[in-house]
């Protein structure tokens, strides 16, 4: 028998970069092409890093922590890894928003759940970078049910753009 602790969320989906063992890996690239979420492409633009340069670096090494790609003002931070099943990345936007790919989850710390859901990101006024993109909300929930003021997790529908890989 598994003992449940108050606030234990094992029955809830986890917004993490790495899918758990119960999720089948879905290949997000073939030998010569990869699909990138438009949030990542827009963030790369903001940092002044071209997609070709990003992909070239990603094929050589993982881009984590101290080696992450950052904007000059420090508002955007990109970390990424090219796993066998595809790209895994985290994009920090501002001080309190984190986009996780491939789950298409956006953690918005400090953002309270809206009373009504009309499906539009514009009412949430998340960030100029995000508001300019054609994103849609699949569903949302609090980051932590025990502490609803912590923030909101938005599961998004994020269009992707296919790019060629050069070896």
């Amino acid at each position: 028998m598994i003992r449940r602790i108050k606030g234990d969320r094992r029955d809830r989906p986890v917004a993490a970069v790495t899918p758990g063992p119960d999720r089948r890996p879905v290949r997000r690239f073939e030998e010569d092409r990869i699909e990138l979420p438009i949030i990542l492409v827009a963030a790369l633009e903001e940092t002044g890093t071209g997609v070709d340069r990003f992909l070239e670096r990603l094929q050589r090494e993982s881009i984590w922590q101290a080696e992450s790609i950052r904007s000059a003002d420090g508002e955007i931070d990109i970390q990424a890894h090219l796993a066998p099943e595809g790209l895994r990345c985290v994009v920090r936007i501002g001080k309190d928003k984190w986009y996780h790919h491939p789950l298409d989850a956006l953690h918005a710390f400090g953002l309270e759940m809206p009373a009504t859901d009309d499906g539009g990101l514009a009412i949430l006024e998340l960030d100029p970078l995000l508001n300019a993109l054609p994103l849609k909300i699949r569903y949302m929930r609090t980051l932590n049910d025990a502490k609803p003021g912590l923030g909101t997790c938005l599961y998004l529908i994020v269009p992707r753009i296919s790019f060629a890989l050069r070896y």
Side-chain angles (χ1 to χ4, degrees):
M1 183 169 127
I2 297 174
R3 215 172 115 212
R4 299 280 185 207
I5 299 168
K6 185 175 179 179
D8 186 5
R9 302 181 333 192
R10 292 182 190 175
D11 60 332
R12 305 285 251 164
V14 178
V17 176
T18 308
D22 58 340
R23 295 179 63 101
R24 278 192 186 156
V26 176
R27 287 189 63 84
R28 296 279 185 188
F29 73 99
E30 294 302 322
E31 293 300 315
D32 62 343
R33 303 209 61 77
I34 187 168
E35 290 184 349
L36 301 181
I38 61 170
I39 292 176
L40 173 61
V41 174
L44 286 167
E45 246 180 62
E46 289 290 317
T47 65
T49 305
V51 171
D52 287 340
R53 201 166 112 210
F54 168 75
L55 291 175
E56 182 182 304
R57 183 175 168 197
L58 189 61
Q59 289 174 82
R60 281 193 326 264
E61 63 188 4
S62 294
I63 304 168
W64 291 123
Q65 298 175 350
E67 291 83 29
S68 67
I69 299 170
R70 296 181 182 96
S71 61
D73 61 4
E75 290 293 306
I76 295 180
D77 187 313
I78 302 168
Q79 299 181 40
H81 170 69
L82 190 56
E85 64 275 5
L87 175 70
R88 295 178 183 175
C89 75
V90 177
V91 179
R92 182 180 52 79
I93 303 165
K95 294 183 182 357
D96 55 1
K97 291 168 209 68
W98 295 82
Y99 167 70
H100 298 265
H101 175 77
L103 292 180
D104 291 333
L106 180 72
H107 292 180
F109 292 93
L111 177 70
E112 291 186 30
M113 289 274 291
T116 60
D117 174 23
D118 71 357
L121 282 174
I123 60 158
L124 298 174
E125 296 178 10
L126 291 173
D127 186 273
L129 175 78
L130 296 172
N131 289 341
L133 300 174
L135 306 173
K136 292 185 180 169
I137 299 173
R138 277 190 293 143
Y139 65 94
M140 60 182 112
R141 64 175 185 79
T142 59
L143 285 172
N144 184 329
D145 290 337
K147 298 178 184 174
L150 182 62
T152 301
C153 180
L154 297 100
Y155 290 92
L156 306 172
I157 297 171
V158 181
R160 290 169 171 63
I161 303 171
S162 183
F163 290 93
L165 291 173
R166 297 185 183 109
Y167 290 95

